[in-house]
Amino acid sequence: MNPTALTITVAYSAVVLVAAVAILIVWRSTHSFERNRKDTTDTHRLAEGEKGWFMFAVAALAVLLLATLAFIPYGDNAKAEGQQEVLVESQQFAWVMTPSTITAGVPVRFAVTTLDVNHGFAVYNDDNVLLFQIQAVPEHTSHIVYTFKVPGRYQIVCLEFCGVNHHTMLSAFTVEEAR
Ligand code: CUA
């Protein structure tokens, strides 16, 4: 498990625990355990309580927002020092990758483009496990950063139906050991 996944797991577990305790407290506060009790409803007190719960909900959402904002992955694909830049050009029904070899252990920033329609740039390892996927969109360059840890052969598969020969839109590249 990577550090981000671990942080998210811990954060969400804590949230679920707090929510469970809150539900229990609310349930206890709204259930009467007395038998034969006579109800006299104090609507003013109920209205005040409702206001309190509303403020609590707003505060809880604000705390959740601020506590989890830093973990949003947007922006992780920005340019950074020391990355390998790889241009991926797609077209019915082929991929062209420049350069076509990659060094292991160094982050790769893929710039994915298409000359015609939408394609899905998906990279699989040699055991057919999907590593990542990004859309190739006309008139737009999509970026994704990925670090290949294991040298070897990797496959590119198109994951967006793009025409009659979509299923043949395959390619491969090699990740070399770092020197
Ligand atoms: Cu390109 Cu399917």
Side-chain angles (χ1 to χ4, degrees), residues 30-50:
T30 52
H31 280 72
S32 172
F33 299 98
E34 297 164 41
R35 272 162 196 277
N36 308 320
R37 62 167 230 189
K38 286 196 195 79
D39 273 332
T40 46
T41 310
D42 180 351
T43 50
H44 181 74
R45 213 185 115 239
L46 280 179
E48 285 301 312
E50 216 161 76

Side-chain angles (χ1 to χ4, degrees), residues 57-80:
V58 170
L61 287 172
V63 166
L64 268 180
L65 174 70
L66 293 175
T68 56
L69 208 53
F71 306 123
I72 290 175
Y74 307 138
D76 283 359
N77 295 324
K79 217 175 213 170

Side-chain angles (χ1 to χ4, degrees), residues 4-170:
T4 311
L6 186 69
T7 313
I8 290 171
T9 307
V10 170
Y12 277 79
S13 305
V15 168
V16 167
L17 199 70
V18 169
V21 171
I23 287 168
L24 192 72
I25 292 170
V26 171
W27 184 79
R28 292 267 315 203
S29 72
T30 52
H31 280 72
S32 172
F33 299 98
E34 297 164 41
R35 272 162 196 277
N36 308 320
R37 62 167 230 189
K38 286 196 195 79
D39 273 332
T40 46
T41 310
D42 180 351
T43 50
H44 181 74
R45 213 185 115 239
L46 280 179
E48 285 301 312
E50 216 161 76
K51 250 186 250 169
W53 279 115
F54 176 70
M55 293 313 289
F56 173 78
V58 170
L61 287 172
V63 166
L64 268 180
L65 174 70
L66 293 175
T68 56
L69 208 53
F71 306 123
I72 290 175
Y74 307 138
D76 283 359
N77 295 324
K79 217 175 213 170
E81 200 96 348
Q83 286 171 341
Q84 305 172 75
E85 292 276 341
V86 173
L87 175 66
V88 179
E89 288 168 299
S90 58
Q91 188 176 11
Q92 287 166 321
F93 298 94
W95 299 100
V96 178
M97 219 177 92
T98 332
S100 56
T101 48
I102 282 169
T103 306
V106 183
V108 186
R109 186 170 187 253
F110 291 96
V112 184
T113 64
T114 168
L115 297 173
D116 41 41
V117 300
N118 273 46
H119 299 281
F121 177 68
V123 173
Y124 288 75
N125 69 14
D126 224 14
D127 295 324
N128 291 320
V129 174
L130 174 64
L131 303 177
F132 62 87
Q133 195 273 143
I134 191 167
Q135 288 283 305
V137 183
E139 294 172 16
H140 175 83
T141 303
S142 310
H143 291 100
I144 189 161
V145 177
Y146 188 84
T147 306
F148 295 90
K149 293 192 179 102
V150 187
R153 185 179 173 275
Y154 290 82
Q155 301 172 76
I156 304 172
V157 179
C158 182
L159 284 194
E160 180 69 46
F161 182 73
C162 54
V164 279
N165 285 326
H166 155 72
H167 62 284
T168 65
M169 197 165 163
L170 309 163

